[in-house]
Amino acid sequence: QVQLVESGGGLVQAGGSLRLSCAASVSAFSSYAMGWFRQAPGKEREFVGAISWSGGSRYYADSVKGRFTISRDNAKNTVYLQMSSLKPEDTAVYYCAASAMFDNYRDLYEYDYWGQGTQVTVSS
């Protein structure tokens, strides 16, 4: 069983920055591609960003391109989401997820394991 735990969420003013972390209890963490998703009230969970096994390939949703940066530290079994220039529309619960195959990184069903989420609230 793989466990993912997000942290770093909180309240921030528009234009501010926040870094989310996702710690994984995975013996072969480097073998998993990792993704970040978010879900706002009344909306479906949506893709935010993803990073390949080695960290050499990174992908982002158009809505966060240029503002968010995903990275990973395999030695610490941790993936990060650095968020800058935050907007009120970024308010959501953010989830990290792990995929053993990484064929369709934008698809929720690509991912095998999910964390419980961390709340990010951006005020105007």
Side-chain angles (χ1 to χ4, degrees):
Q1 181 67 35
V2 176
Q3 296 183 7
L4 305 174
V5 181
E6 302 94 338
S7 63
L11 176 64
V12 64
Q13 292 186 342
S17 299
L18 206 61
R19 189 179 77 160
L20 306 183
S21 299
C22 175
S25 60
V26 182
S27 60
F29 179 75
S30 62
S31 297
Y32 288 83
M34 300 294 296
W36 283 98
F37 291 77
R38 66 187 182 186
Q39 187 168 21
K43 295 185 177 181
E44 294 293 324
R45 195 168 299 186
E46 66 175 351
F47 171 78
V48 175
I51 187 167
S52 63
W53 306 268
S54 66
S57 298
R58 304 176 187 183
Y59 307 93
Y60 301 95
D62 290 341
S63 60
V64 305
K65 181 72 174 181
R67 299 189 298 119
F68 291 10
T69 301
I70 188 170
S71 62
R72 67 189 298 161
D73 186 342
N74 290 342
K76 298 176 65 176
N77 286 3
T78 302
V79 63
Y80 305 94
L81 183 67
Q82 177 66 51
M83 306 183 293
S84 300
S85 301
L86 284 163
K87 306 174 181 179
E89 65 189 79
D90 294 318
T91 295
V93 176
Y94 283 71
Y95 300 87
C96 67
S99 171
M101 299 189 72
F102 203 55
D103 293 322
N104 301 104
Y105 57 85
R106 294 180 179 271
D107 189 347
L108 280 70
Y109 300 101
E110 163 75 17
Y111 296 86
D112 304 294
Y113 304 100
W114 294 83
Q116 292 299 306
T118 185
Q119 177 71 48
V120 172
T121 302
V122 184
S123 62
S124 60

